[in-house]
Amino acid sequence: MIEPRTLKGFRDHLPAQALARENILDIARRVYRSYGFAPIDTPALEYLEILTGKGSDETDKQLYRFKDHGGRDVGMRFDLTVPLARFCAQHIATLGTPFKRYQMASVWRGENTQRGRYREFMQCDFDTIGTTSPVADLETVLVAHDVLKAIGIEKFTVRVNDRRVLSGMLQELSLADRSTHVLRSLDKLGKATSEAVAAELSSHRVPDEAIAKLLSMAQLRGTPSVVLAALDTLVGSSEIGRVGVASLRRVLDGVQKAGVADGRVVVDPSIARGLDYYTGIVLESFLDELPGLGSICSGGRYDNLAGLYTKQSLPGVGASVGIDRLLAGLEELGRLHLTETPADVFLVFFSEEHLGDYLRVAAALRVAGMAVEFFPEAKRVGQQLKVAAKKGFPVALLIGSDEFAAGTAQLKSLATQASATINWHGDLHVLVDAIHSQLQAIRAKH
RNA sequence: GUGGUUGUAGCUCAGUUGGUUAGAGCACUAGAUUGUGAUUCUAGGGGUCGCGGGUUCGAGUCCCGUCAGCCACCCCA
């Protein structure tokens, strides 16, 4: 006997979880498409040199790599951005710019696991390639906002900042040479105390006076106009800093004009993002009720996506929904109603003699857009109903010999056990319409 | 990769200073009950105590290793 087991950091998804996951993916897909982003797909395996091109030690360590059967050095993608860069370098001539794509796919990293961190996980990226327009930045923020809103989250905040504001600050403070360390430290402000961050900055030879200024900047809060005005003065005479503030102002102005509710999108000068390839706007999104969960949708603007693979300059802006983290958060908040079935109607199988009738009824319901599970065995009715209730069907449809003779049917709500009689007199349209409207009524209550 | 912590049935757990054949509740299967999820009753399946070694007359219990989960660091999604 071989012990059935899964590798460390790899998971099975049971129906209840997989359904919740697909629901979120469907919503994200719908929102992405509503802005004109088109799907692409790329291979899970790439030539090793493509993936290691950027060559940081960290990604090198995490990379799943091996020789394929033809002796080629290959690796599994560890994000969707590097494959996108290769993809654009290869196809941009056909695609033209601006190119807007989304990709929802698994990636692999051989790093240590922790709650919510796995070796195989999904990324849901959307990016706009080939334009430096702030309108593309704005749209990125709007998409992040729309996805979270469409999922039905009531309390969330999209926090935006601009790397150029930070660069301007660092220039003013003569810290440009330590920018990576400084930004990484500031990025911890959400999790660590300001004292801890100050200590870490100090260890990177940042003078106390500069630390005080950085912290006061990072902790600026308030309406966008208030924060932006404060940033204007902090950035001082730095040209790049002023450009950053101006760009943020345009984005926030656009967010408001697009009709986003006040407070949903704010300026947060402490948002830096760990990755050093961001050059303009950066954004993170949080569930207000679970700030400790971390960002559930993050991204930003980068100057040169594909410099490793082509001479053509390809600027871009994009973001990614952290689907696993988001699901964990929704579950913790009890916002995930878990069912084990995607179907609406459970059709009870009473007796073989009516098999043809059941198949006809089920087919009619499916044509009308309802999902029907027909129980495959004429087992005891009680057992069938038990299965249906356990799997989370909203209703069961019961039509036995008595009902067929009388031209009726019972539609039973599995949540309340209440049963309603439908008089359909053998007319499938009447039956289908009645079930359809009852389902609508049940859904409206949720 | 480093450090800490946990591991007994599908789930939650009990199991005495090491002592006979490892238990409970829930869940599951079948029946009482050939047309309605509950309750009740009866019967049943399911464990190499994460895995491997060691100490011992004897290990679920002690020791070592290993695998997996969780937490922190690192980094990030």
Side-chain angles (χ1 to χ4, degrees):
Chain A
M1 210 61 126
I2 298 162
E3 188 191 348
R5 55 185 185 149
T6 48
L7 282 165
K8 179 187 174 79
F10 290 72
R11 302 165 289 165
D12 288 327
H13 299 280
L14 274 58
Q17 300 299 329
L19 278 170
R21 186 187 186 80
E22 282 199 12
N23 287 339
I24 304 276
L25 292 176
D26 283 346
I27 291 168
R29 186 180 291 118
R30 206 161 58 233
V31 172
Y32 293 171
R33 294 169 81 123
S34 77
Y35 280 78
F37 291 87
I40 68 162
D41 201 8
T42 65
L45 287 183
E46 296 272 0
Y47 280 103
L48 192 60
E49 63 190 38
I50 300 282
L51 298 176
T52 54
K54 224 160 37 178
S56 89
D57 296 347
E58 238 2 270
T59 52
D60 243 41
K61 259 192 338 204
Q62 298 179 355
L63 194 61
Y64 279 103
R65 56 166 80 186
F66 53 92
K67 274 198 195 298
D68 74 3
H69 294 174
R72 286 171 282 256
D73 286 308
V74 299
M76 296 172 82
R77 63 179 175 223
F78 55 86
D79 69 11
L80 299 179
T81 306
V82 168
L84 173 65
R86 192 226 81 221
F87 180 95
C88 286
Q90 217 169 317
H91 302 297
I92 201 69
T94 331
L95 299 165
T97 59
F99 170 54
K100 298 168 78 170
R101 72 89 232 213
Y102 71 90
Q103 184 173 12
M104 306 193 296
S106 293
V107 301
W108 298 269
R109 293 185 194 174
E111 66 178 332
N112 223 335
T113 57
Q114 226 176 95
R115 183 218 276 287
R117 304 183 58 178
Y118 307 97
R119 287 181 171 174
E120 177 182 59
F121 58 98
M122 188 166 259
Q123 290 195 329
C124 308
D125 287 20
F126 63 96
D127 290 84
T128 306
I129 308 299
T131 173
T132 54
S133 165
V135 178
D137 297 17
L138 167 62
E139 275 201 343
T140 305
V141 174
L142 291 176
V143 169
H145 165 271
D146 285 8
V147 168
L148 298 178
K149 191 176 169 195
I151 288 168
I153 301 166
E154 273 147 36
K155 295 172 184 166
F156 68 87
T157 308
V158 180
R159 301 174 178 275
V160 304
N161 191 21
D162 196 297
R163 270 293 177 82
R164 289 165 293 186
V165 173
L166 296 166
S167 298
M169 268 299 275
L170 295 174
Q171 250 177 34
E172 285 288 288
L173 300 168
S174 310
L175 293 170
D177 54 323
R178 277 99 100 194
S179 63
T180 304
H181 289 300
V182 172
L183 294 184
R184 203 164 275 171
S185 301
L186 282 182
D187 204 42
K188 288 180 186 164
L189 266 176
K191 282 189 279 185
T193 64
S194 53
E195 287 78 16
V197 172
E200 191 173 315
L201 286 169
S202 197
S203 76
H204 287 119
R205 311 180 331 276
V206 178
D208 290 349
E209 195 188 338
I211 291 176
K213 278 191 182 163
L214 284 170
L215 287 180
S216 72
M217 174 212 63
Q219 287 165 339
L220 281 174
R221 291 292 179 277
T223 62
S225 58
V226 168
V227 176
L228 287 168
L231 285 178
D232 251 337
T233 36
L234 276 167
V235 145
S237 59
S238 159
E239 177 62 28
I240 188 165
R242 288 229 291 272
V243 171
V245 176
S247 177
L248 272 182
R249 191 168 274 129
R250 282 192 66 173
V251 169
L252 269 296
D253 186 47
V255 165
Q256 200 213 341
K257 289 205 167 84
V260 171
D262 285 348
R264 280 274 170 83
V265 177
V266 302
V267 176
D268 180 343
S270 75
I271 300 293
R273 307 245 69 224
L275 296 169
D276 43 12
Y277 62 70
Y278 287 120
T279 53
I281 190 172
V282 284
L283 65 115
E284 296 193 343
S285 322
F286 297 85
L287 301 179
D288 295 352
E289 292 157 283
L290 292 174
L293 185 72
S295 176
I296 48 170
C297 180
S298 327
R301 172 168 281 287
Y302 38 88
D303 263 348
N304 195 356
L305 175 72
L308 284 167
Y309 317 104
T310 175
K311 284 180 186 157
Q312 185 171 354
S313 171
L314 290 173
V317 60
S320 182
V321 174
I323 179 93
D324 288 301
R325 195 179 270 186
L326 180 54
L327 280 168
L330 290 174
E331 185 166 14
E332 194 170 335
L333 291 174
R335 295 294 321 265
L336 230 50
H337 36 275
L338 296 171
T339 64
E340 288 171 44
T341 177
D344 309 302
V345 178
F346 181 92
L347 181 55
V348 173
F349 189 176
F350 278 84
S351 65
E352 291 282 348
E353 59 173 316
H354 288 294
L355 177 57
D357 295 317
Y358 294 128
L359 295 176
R360 201 152 40 241
V361 168
L365 287 167
R366 291 183 187 121
V367 166
M370 284 171 276
V372 185
E373 179 168 331
F374 175 47
F375 199 77
E377 299 169 38
K379 288 214 318 194
R380 293 210 324 259
V381 172
Q383 283 203 22
Q384 294 189 47
L385 288 174
K386 198 171 161 187
V387 169
K390 193 187 160 216
K391 284 196 181 175
F393 283 86
V395 295
L397 179 61
L398 297 97
I399 320 175
S401 304
D402 299 349
E403 282 84 358
F404 277 116
T408 62
Q410 285 181 56
L411 191 67
K412 180 164 186 158
S413 159
L414 289 162
T416 65
Q417 302 206 32
S419 191
T421 301
I422 298 168
N423 289 299
W424 57 295
H425 310 294
D427 184 344
L428 278 175
H429 290 295
V430 175
L431 182 63
V432 167
D433 287 348
I435 292 171
H436 185 75
S437 59
Q438 294 248 14
L439 274 173
Q440 298 283 71
I442 288 174
R443 285 216 193 85
K445 278 187 205 162
H446 275 60

